[in-house]
Amino acid sequence: MAKIRMGPQTWVFPLPTLLVGANVDGKPNFMAVAWGGIVNSTPPMISVSLRRNRYTNKGIKQNGAFSVNIPSTDLVRETDYCGIVSGSKVNKVEACKFSVFYGKLGNVPLIEQCPVNLECEVVHTIGLDSHELIVGRIEETHVAEACLTDGKPDVTKIKPFIYTTSTQQYYAFGEVIAKAFSIGREIQSE
Amino acid sequence: MAKIRMGPQTWVFPLPTLLVGANVDGKPNFMAVAWGGIVNSTPPMISVSLRRNRYTNKGIKQNGAFSVNIPSTDLVRETDYCGIVSGSKVNKVEACKFSVFYGKLGNVPLIEQCPVNLECEVVHTIGLDSHELIVGRIEETHVAEACLTDGKPDVTKIKPFIYTTSTQQYYAFGEVIAKAFSIGREIQSE
């Protein structure tokens, strides 16, 4: 297929839409983050990249901990809002009518309406250029009971969504296309 | 909603399905990676996490560079295969019938059949526990001309896919649900 060179771009598909939370000066705040994902299997670790001057980043530094909340498509309006405004100016929890709860770590705010919540303790902070890469060890995972099938989180019930940088749109998940660590074996046996 | 505590888990939705490439001892090799994503905006940087002993990781260290190739759903079988077998034992390029080309960096193999290819120069390697977190500055982006709409990569044409750790399945992208940096303004104006 004919290809065009388009320079350095942040074009990875899919990117997640995460609500990263921290208590800032003792009060819960959340921001929308697409620069994030799993970085270690054993023990489970996640990274999120935030600009240094972000209000949420201040709270992460104060507590050495943060939360990652996975919103469902029902919360796309609230999630986008958390990516537009700063907690230094508005109370996003009130504006979005989030119910906040605390879990194992005690100082990490979690959004009740998000079907999946991760509590993370900061283990590395790496200064990049525009952003800081923050690696957290996942200490606890909360999942809505209603979003489990056979005891496992089921994305058809969680309804998470995708962010695309090229067109700045949110997408829903589509259909299952294959079983991992399985369909590839067809090639092995050829 | 009633929540259950399920311990530390790698449950982020969505996770990407990337084919990370490097020349190992001068020959192209690719592996499937879900631990990866954008970590810096300016300049664009990406991270991928690989186990230390991965054959591809050897090639990344030899060259200080790697590629990230975004497969389309047409390549789900080949992608899964690249996550099952090791390049130390089989020639995955031959098995998958990949056409390999080289771009700006010259030493980074790219898969012609993948609609998006990123060329990356290693800028940081951070040892975690089971994995190494490798940060690369994106030096060039190649996009299939047929996958552009109004000059921008269009996921409805690229057809990338999603990996889920909880059920080990691949999912297609679904429908657009909202415009980012836009739908949230409804809350601002309330």
Side-chain angles (χ1 to χ4, degrees):
Chain A
M1 55 182 89
K3 294 263 173 79
I4 299 182
R5 291 190 184 199
M6 303 186 76
Q9 302 287 352
T10 58
W11 291 340
V12 168
F13 311 98
L15 292 168
T17 317
L18 311 171
L19 286 168
V20 173
N23 279 349
V24 188
D25 300 331
K27 288 185 182 166
N29 188 61
F30 298 93
M31 68 175 289
V33 167
W35 300 172
I38 297 298
V39 293
N40 197 71
S41 302
T42 316
M45 294 185 194
I46 191 170
S47 80
V48 294
S49 283
L50 278 65
R51 289 181 192 273
R52 275 174 194 75
N53 61 355
R54 281 282 185 271
Y55 192 65
T56 306
N57 204 348
K58 184 181 171 187
I60 295 176
K61 293 206 168 23
Q62 287 174 347
N63 295 282
F66 61 95
S67 70
V68 174
N69 305 269
I70 316 268
S72 64
T73 52
D74 303 337
L75 293 174
V76 64
R77 208 176 64 128
E78 286 77 4
T79 304
D80 193 50
Y81 177 78
C82 289
I84 292 173
V85 301
S86 171
S88 65
K89 291 182 183 146
V90 296
N91 184 329
K92 298 193 211 179
V93 171
E94 275 183 17
C96 294
K97 302 184 178 70
F98 287 148
S99 299
V100 172
F101 71 105
Y102 292 83
K104 183 179 174 185
L105 298 180
N107 61 346
V108 164
L110 305 161
I111 301 172
E112 199 269 338
Q113 291 97 327
C114 288
V116 180
N117 317 94
L118 309 175
E119 298 186 58
C120 311
E121 245 177 29
V122 176
V123 291
H124 291 285
T125 302
I126 300 112
L128 298 178
D129 206 311
S130 58
H131 284 61
E132 277 185 338
L133 172 64
I134 301 165
V135 176
R137 197 174 49 236
I138 300 167
E139 296 290 341
E140 187 58 279
T141 310
H142 305 254
V143 182
E145 205 171 349
C147 294
L148 298 173
T149 297
D150 298 331
K152 289 178 185 167
D154 181 339
V155 291
T156 65
K157 296 173 177 174
I158 296 169
K159 295 190 178 121
F161 54 95
I162 298 159
Y163 174 64
T164 60
T165 45
S166 58
T167 54
Q168 299 196 333
Q169 282 171 311
Y170 300 115
Y171 283 80
F173 276 44
E175 298 299 305
V176 174
I177 55 167
K179 183 91 188 108
F181 306 109
S182 174
I183 191 172
R185 297 197 189 281
E186 292 175 12
I187 292 180
Q188 248 178 327
S189 59
E190 272 172 6
Chain B
M1 55 181 90
K3 294 264 172 78
I4 299 182
R5 292 189 184 198
M6 303 187 75
Q9 302 287 351
T10 57
W11 291 341
V12 168
F13 312 97
L15 292 168
T17 317
L18 311 172
L19 286 168
V20 173
N23 279 348
V24 188
D25 300 332
K27 288 186 182 165
N29 188 62
F30 298 93
M31 68 176 289
V33 167
W35 299 173
I38 298 297
V39 293
N40 197 71
S41 302
T42 315
M45 294 184 194
I46 191 169
S47 80
V48 294
S49 283
L50 277 66
R51 289 180 192 272
R52 275 175 194 75
N53 61 354
R54 281 283 184 269
Y55 192 65
T56 306
N57 204 349
K58 183 181 172 187
I60 295 176
K61 292 204 168 24
Q62 287 174 347
N63 294 282
F66 62 94
S67 70
V68 175
N69 306 270
I70 316 268
S72 65
T73 52
D74 303 337
L75 293 173
V76 65
R77 207 174 65 126
E78 287 77 3
T79 304
D80 193 50
Y81 177 78
C82 289
I84 292 173
V85 300
S86 171
S88 65
K89 291 180 184 147
V90 295
N91 184 327
K92 298 193 210 179
V93 171
E94 275 183 17
C96 294
K97 302 183 177 69
F98 287 148
S99 300
V100 172
F101 71 105
Y102 292 84
K104 184 179 172 183
L105 298 180
N107 61 347
V108 164
L110 305 162
I111 300 172
E112 199 268 340
Q113 290 97 327
C114 289
V116 180
N117 317 93
L118 309 174
E119 298 186 59
C120 311
E121 246 177 28
V122 176
V123 291
H124 292 284
T125 302
I126 300 113
L128 298 178
D129 208 311
S130 58
H131 284 61
E132 278 185 337
L133 172 64
I134 301 165
V135 177
R137 197 174 47 235
I138 299 167
E139 295 290 341
E140 187 58 278
T141 310
H142 305 256
V143 183
E145 205 170 351
C147 294
L148 298 173
T149 298
D150 298 331
K152 288 179 185 167
D154 181 340
V155 292
T156 65
K157 296 174 177 174
I158 295 170
K159 294 186 180 129
F161 54 96
I162 298 160
Y163 174 64
T164 59
T165 46
S166 58
T167 54
Q168 298 196 334
Q169 282 172 311
Y170 300 116
Y171 283 80
F173 276 44
E175 298 299 306
V176 174
I177 56 167
K179 182 95 188 105
F181 306 110
S182 174
I183 191 172
R185 298 198 188 280
E186 292 175 12
I187 292 179
Q188 247 177 329
S189 59
E190 272 172 7

